[in-house]
Amino acid sequence: MTAEQIAIDRQLRQLELGLLFSEPYADHNAVVSLSVGQGGVDAQDWVEILMRMYLKWAQPSAHQVSTLRPGCETEILETAPGEEAGLKGATVVFRGRRAYGLLRSEHGVHRLVRISPFDQNHRRHTSFALVEVMPELEESEEQAVEINPEDLRIDTYRSTGAGGQHVNKTDSAVRITHLPTGIVVSCQNERSQIKNRDLAMKVLRSRLFQRHQEEAARKREKLRGDVMPAEFGSQIRSYVMQPYTLVKDVRTGVEVGNVQAVLDGELEPFIEGWLRWRLNGSGPNLSGGAPD
């Protein structure tokens, strides 16, 4: 293949990838919530490993920047530490070009198989974690999501994260419960209770927006990646570290043998595989709107 043919092939591939980001919210920032599933302390450790994986993906080195890994600014809004290790849950905002369009491929249950570092008998354990990906709404879009103040219960508490003496001595963290749906969001990243409340409300609006999209999609029989139990039989991707090493996406069939590279943020094969899978009409409509 000549240099000219290689250049043309590269241009065609870029144009083809551009078609994969034609949905209304593809260019939005992404709100990613991780929560623990089956697996006890191993599952809590798995949540923390997944959060690290996404943070690594968001901060590629200069030679890694690409259409599928453009680099994002990240903000950890809230983490809930596990009893012994890891995290019970976390919420992170990814701000960058096509953040939601890229990360929506991660929405679902992720399964880990490995020799447990918490098992003195060195047995193999299976752990699950749920990853939910929502678009961060712009101000004009937020206004379309109506929230009755009487439907909210707002609690304040002391932050458990970093932030120095101020965070530890004041009730700056905010937890908002939307009573009709049972949705709970928290934010403890800021030292100001007002800022934490504003950020928590943004996340709540995104989650309610997602819920509305799912309900509309069900009516049209185009399911939008429902919230699913983080347990056996429901995973979208498996990460196997013993007795062999393999990461396999159940939906697309994409496989990568270098598990550590994937956990270090190299998600491009899975993101591209999922986008092409959807473009070919094999996948669910995750935007809740018309197909691409």
Side-chain angles (χ1 to χ4, degrees), residues 25 28-29 135-146 198 201-202 205-206 209:
Y25 306 101
H28 282 47
N29 298 326
E136 183 181 51
L137 301 181
E138 298 177 356
E139 289 188 12
S140 59
E141 296 165 336
E142 287 182 346
Q143 295 174 3
V145 181
E146 298 182 2
D198 289 344
M201 285 298 296
K202 285 183 70 69
R205 290 184 187 279
S206 292
F209 172 81

Side-chain angles (χ1 to χ4, degrees), residues 190-220:
E190 301 291 339
R191 293 190 173 188
S192 164
Q193 184 182 116
I194 294 175
K195 289 183 179 179
N196 280 329
R197 175 170 173 162
D198 289 344
L199 286 170
M201 285 298 296
K202 285 183 70 69
V203 174
L204 176 60
R205 290 184 187 279
S206 292
R207 297 199 68 166
L208 288 173
F209 172 81
Q210 179 198 35
R211 186 184 182 93
H212 294 159
Q213 295 292 87
E214 289 175 358
E215 291 173 351
R218 287 192 197 98
K219 293 177 182 178
R220 295 190 300 270

Side-chain angles (χ1 to χ4, degrees), residues 6 12 24 36 43 49 82-83 103 187 205 230 236 285:
I6 293 174
L12 289 174
V36 68
I49 292 172
E83 289 91 352
L103 286 172
C187 184
R205 290 184 187 279
I236 63 162
N285 178 18

Side-chain angles (χ1 to χ4, degrees), residues 44-82:
Q44 294 173 17
D45 191 47
W46 180 219
V47 169
E48 187 168 23
I49 292 172
L50 283 173
M51 185 176 76
R52 174 186 176 276
M53 180 181 76
Y54 293 127
L55 293 176
K56 284 274 191 179
W57 170 83
Q59 299 173 345
S61 60
H63 70 278
Q64 290 176 313
V65 174
S66 67
T67 302
L68 299 176
R69 196 172 182 181
C72 295
E73 293 182 359
T74 59
E75 182 179 6
I76 300 174
L77 299 185
E78 187 262 346
T79 57

Side-chain angles (χ1 to χ4, degrees), residues 118-135:
F118 307 101
D119 187 335
Q120 294 181 350
N121 295 319
H122 305 291
R123 290 171 295 190
R124 192 166 67 243
H125 285 239
T126 301
S127 309
F128 298 86
L130 175 64
V131 178
E132 297 177 274
V133 184
M134 300 147 281

